[in-house]
Amino acid sequence: MTPAELSRTVLHAVRRAVDEGELSVTVPERVVVAPPGPGGCGDYATSIALQLAREAGRTPRDVAEILRARLLDERRFADVAVTGPGFVNLSVHSTASADLVGEILRRGRRYGHTTAGFSGTALKIYCRAEVRAVVVTDVVARLARSQGDLVRVVCDGRPAPEWKSVLGADVSTRGPRFIPDRSVTVCP
């Protein structure tokens, strides 16, 4: 289980607590999950209960206990503990790393790519004809494409042919008419 998946799982627990009326808070857009600090336990920890407590009108430990119950229901965790003032500590099953490796091997080069198709976003990225700018632009374009965005990269000059053959960077100096939702300039 990746930190991003852990984050989504904790966020889902917050949403369930709000939907069931046990917490009255605005559900955050994301939850930070990281290795626990000194004195923490488990594989990962989050301070989401500390962040929601004031708005919920409860102590952070109360909020953490509410989330703990929902996270234990997920059955993705070997243990969920509340420590300190209200940190939620997560212990993943011992097979979690093997499961992640299996998922990576199964998906191959498509691991990390969205399976939802076109995201609805068209992006045009401009860059200088300078090797670093072209490489950074190509990385940004590949990341955006992996998440379902339609991307066109335009270089302000003619890139050296070896940038594509050796580095694999794909840019064009002109192309078909393309109306992006937004444009980005990398390394102006």
Side-chain angles (χ1 to χ4, degrees):
M1 184 177 297
T2 66
E5 290 171 323
L6 287 169
S7 177
R8 285 191 297 270
T9 302
V10 173
L11 191 59
H12 179 69
V14 172
R15 281 194 187 112
R16 282 184 32 222
V18 169
D19 290 346
E20 293 169 10
E22 198 152 4
L23 286 178
S24 179
V25 296
T26 303
V27 178
E29 290 185 31
R30 65 185 186 103
V31 173
V32 176
V33 178
C41 62
D43 300 309
Y44 296 93
T46 181
S47 62
I48 189 65
L50 298 164
Q51 297 164 17
L52 297 175
R54 177 174 282 170
E55 185 181 352
R58 295 175 172 235
T59 68
R61 285 193 70 85
D62 287 345
V63 174
E65 287 296 339
I66 290 168
L67 297 178
R68 178 181 181 274
R70 279 159 182 76
L71 290 167
L72 283 172
D73 287 347
E74 293 284 332
R75 295 197 172 116
R76 293 181 178 202
F77 303 106
D79 189 31
V80 179
V82 176
T83 60
F87 293 102
V88 178
N89 293 266
L90 309 164
S91 297
V92 295
H93 290 288
S94 60
T95 60
S97 295
D99 293 344
L100 176 60
V101 170
E103 173 72 8
I104 292 168
L105 291 174
R106 187 179 64 74
R107 302 265 326 259
R109 295 185 73 164
R110 300 298 303 166
Y111 179 76
H113 290 242
T114 185
T115 56
F118 179 52
S119 69
T121 301
L123 183 65
K124 188 174 193 178
I125 305 175
Y126 298 92
C127 73
R128 292 188 326 213
E130 188 271 323
V131 70
R132 259 187 318 200
V134 169
V135 169
V136 168
T137 301
D138 189 58
V139 168
V140 170
R142 288 174 191 236
L143 286 170
R145 285 184 187 116
S146 77
Q147 300 309 301
D149 295 348
L150 178 63
V151 180
R152 178 158 175 254
V153 176
V154 178
C155 197
D156 70 355
R158 182 164 298 283
E162 60 270 12
W163 292 0
K164 181 165 185 166
S165 63
V166 175
L167 300 175
D170 185 20
V171 299
S172 63
T173 53
R174 67 186 96 147
R177 183 162 165 75
F178 182 84
I179 302 172
D181 294 331
R182 57 184 175 228
S183 295
V184 177
T185 301
V186 176
C187 302

